[in-house]
Amino acid sequence: EDGVSRLNSQQERIIAAADLSVLSIFLAEILLKIFAYGSVYLANPLHLVDAVFVALSMAMSLLELVMADGFLSRFTRLRAVLRLVRILIMFRKVRQTSNTLKAKVTGLGYNLTSPAEEVIHMLMSLQEYPRLSSVQCLDIKWAISAIDSGRLYEPMTDGDGLQDAP
C-alpha cells in the first residue's frame, strides 16, 4: 500500500455522483454561453481551453462509470490536473472580468477610488498652491503620509504631528 486509505464502493459512488453533478453544471454553463454568444465565445482562448477541459473531464468521468474494470482509473490524476488548470483559468477570467468592469465603470465617468484616495488627491493639489507657507506645505506632506500609511487614527505624542506655526 502507498499509505492512502481506500474508499468503499458507496463512498466512490457518492464522489462520482458529486463529480458528475459539478461537471454537468460547468458544461451547462459553457453550453448556455455558447448559445448566448455564439462562436464568438469560443474565440477567446481561455474559454476554448476551459470548454475542452470540462468536456474531457466529463468524458473521463462517464467512461469510468461505464467501464468498471478500473482501466481508466489511472486517468484520475489527469482529471485532477485538468481541474487544477481549470481553477487557474477561472482565476484569470475573474481578473479579466474585474479589469473590464473597472474600465467600463471608469469610462462611464464613475470614480472607483476610496475616500482616503480622494482626500490625498485633494491635498496634493492643495500642496501646489503658491501662497502656502513652508510650514503649511510640511503639514500637508505629513497629512498625506499619515493617510497613505494608515496612521491617521494612531495616537500621537507631543513631538509628532503637525508643525507649529511660526
Side-chain angles (χ1 to χ4, degrees):
E1 294 281 336
D2 55 2
V4 178
S5 62
R6 300 288 177 203
L7 299 175
N8 65 37
S9 63
Q10 182 182 4
Q11 291 170 328
E12 286 179 1
R13 283 193 305 268
I14 291 171
I15 290 173
D19 184 42
L20 280 174
S21 300
V22 171
L23 284 171
S24 298
I25 291 169
F26 291 154
L27 191 60
E29 172 200 9
I30 291 169
L31 291 175
L32 287 172
K33 286 182 178 180
I34 291 172
F35 178 74
Y37 299 115
S39 61
V40 175
Y41 178 75
L42 293 177
N44 182 330
L46 285 178
H47 296 164
L48 180 62
V49 170
D50 187 33
V52 168
F53 283 2
V54 169
L56 282 173
S57 294
M58 178 67 97
M60 285 184 211
S61 289
L62 290 173
L63 284 173
E64 275 187 29
L65 286 178
V66 173
M67 300 178 78
D69 63 358
F71 170 72
L72 292 175
S73 63
R74 57 184 157 180
F75 291 110
T76 304
R77 287 191 178 146
L78 177 62
R79 283 189 15 225
V81 170
L82 290 176
R83 287 187 184 123
L84 177 64
V85 172
R86 184 167 198 277
I87 289 171
L88 296 175
I89 288 171
M90 295 305 294
F91 281 130
R92 182 153 181 160
K93 280 183 183 181
V94 167
R95 187 174 64 230
Q96 283 181 345
T97 303
S98 174
N99 291 342
T100 302
L101 179 62
K102 187 173 183 178
K104 285 181 181 179
V105 169
T106 303
L108 293 174
Y110 296 108
N111 195 353
L112 294 178
T113 58
S114 70
E117 291 170 325
E118 289 292 320
V119 170
I120 289 172
H121 179 69
M122 182 190 66
L123 288 172
M124 291 174 100
S125 53
L126 180 64
Q127 191 176 15
E128 297 171 8
Y129 188 65
R131 292 190 177 182
L132 291 178
S133 70
S134 60
V135 171
Q136 289 170 324
C137 285
L138 287 173
D139 289 345
I140 290 174
K141 284 181 183 177
W142 176 87
I144 291 171
S145 172
I147 294 169
D148 194 35
S149 67
R151 295 181 293 125
L152 188 61
Y153 297 106
E154 290 181 2
M156 297 184 338
T157 61
D158 287 339
D160 296 338
L162 301 173
Q163 306 293 323
D164 292 331

